[in-house]
Amino acid sequence: MTTQPLRTEHSGPQTVSAVTDLPFKPQLVKAVFRDVTSLHVSRSAAWAAASVTRTLMAEIIDGARSAAAEEARKRLIPKDLISAIDRNVEVEVGSEWYLHSPTFHGLLGELHNADGSLVSLRERRGTRTPSGVAGAHRFEAGVRRLLGSRGVRAVPAMVRDLDGIASVFLTALARDAAMVVREGGVKRFGTVSLVVPGGPAPAPPLKDPLLALSIRRGDRRTVGGDDVLAAVTMQLFGDLRQRAITEAAGMTRNTPAN
């Protein structure tokens, strides 16, 4: 009797290998989406969101690693995270997490209400813990795997902060992707064009990849890979945004939609 080879998904060995390398597994990504929307989440959407989160977190870790290297350390501590964010505004995401982390308490400053009274940290956090904060513990394995791939370790407090930032970012990304589906595109996306008085209006630059992402095609029941990429245009900016979109698009190009 001959042994039958294990069957794999039809997405091809190269794509399967790429997904295996993702520190944040698509199953975890789908769980985050289920926290914020009842829409179906396609396979390509889960892979795209996992890829974007990896790109962001790798950028943060690399920035923290550079800060630690200046002190000849390979083990990251919370102040390295602060340095990474200070040096690269593109990675300043996960603001909901900042209210829950001791690392950021001294950096938030005082907040006063309309009457001039000081708003306490408890009031600023709100009465309900955001789902991204509540579910941050789910990201520890992925964060540790990503740290290892970048050649560093981190103290538990630093791992906790990276967990929280990843969770809050992915939760916001899921919310925006669901909004793209409901609204049929990115309604907040805009462009500026120069027009000669009395002349014809210029044709829209449809070859612009970011503008193309703002025009949605497909049903209103499923979050697709392009919906996640469109959400990235609202969550990230600059070179980091472009790199995140390019890497995610490359991963999902040959991925079955569902």
Side-chain angles (χ1 to χ4, degrees):
M1 182 177 69
T2 59
T3 303
Q4 296 294 324
L6 292 175
R7 297 182 64 185
T8 59
E9 296 181 89
H10 296 290
S11 50
Q14 190 172 21
T15 306
V16 171
S17 175
V19 173
T20 302
D21 292 338
L22 286 173
F24 306 107
K25 298 305 180 184
Q27 296 89 335
L28 172 60
V29 172
K30 286 193 174 186
V32 174
F33 271 80
R34 284 195 295 270
D35 287 342
V36 299
T37 180
S38 60
L39 295 170
H40 174 68
V41 180
S42 70
R43 184 181 305 173
S44 62
W47 289 7
S51 175
V52 169
T53 306
R54 175 187 61 186
T55 301
L56 167 68
M57 299 307 298
E59 185 79 2
I60 293 174
I61 290 171
D62 286 348
R65 181 179 61 182
S66 295
E70 294 174 1
E71 299 181 7
R73 285 185 288 102
K74 285 192 174 181
R75 196 174 191 189
L76 306 184
I77 59 179
K79 77 171 186 177
D80 298 326
L81 176 60
I82 299 296
S83 295
I85 294 174
D86 283 345
R87 297 175 183 182
N88 184 0
V89 69
E90 292 181 9
V91 301
E92 190 174 344
V93 298
S95 57
E96 288 180 354
W97 176 253
Y98 300 160
L99 292 172
H100 292 262
S101 167
T103 299
F104 297 94
H105 285 179
L107 303 176
L108 295 176
E110 295 182 347
L111 179 67
H112 297 266
N113 59 23
D115 299 326
S117 301
L118 183 65
V119 178
S120 69
L121 186 59
R122 182 180 295 275
E123 291 175 307
R124 292 170 68 176
R125 286 176 177 176
T127 56
R128 179 179 178 275
T129 302
S131 58
V133 172
H137 63 281
R138 296 180 292 189
F139 289 77
E140 181 174 348
V143 164
R144 291 190 181 279
R145 185 177 176 187
L146 188 55
L147 284 165
S149 72
R150 315 309 284 188
V152 292
R153 296 178 300 156
V155 300
M158 178 70 168
V159 173
R160 178 203 60 212
D161 281 329
L162 292 172
D163 287 352
I165 291 173
S167 182
V168 168
F169 169 76
L170 185 51
T171 299
L173 188 69
R175 288 195 187 108
D176 281 348
M179 183 189 71
V180 169
V181 175
R182 291 193 303 269
E183 297 187 358
V186 182
K187 302 304 183 184
R188 286 181 277 171
F189 190 94
T191 59
V192 176
S193 300
L194 295 177
V195 180
V196 177
L206 293 178
K207 292 184 180 180
D208 185 330
L210 297 184
L211 181 58
L213 287 173
S214 72
I215 304 170
R216 186 178 191 275
R217 299 173 181 81
D219 65 60
R220 298 292 181 89
R221 300 181 301 277
T222 302
V223 179
D226 282 348
D227 299 320
V228 172
L229 299 185
V232 174
T233 68
M234 294 184 279
Q235 288 292 323
L236 300 176
F237 66 95
D239 292 339
L240 177 60
R241 175 173 69 179
Q242 188 57 56
R243 189 165 71 255
I245 289 175
T246 300
E247 292 177 2
M251 170 166 288
T252 61
R253 187 170 294 117
N254 299 317
T255 304
N258 295 311

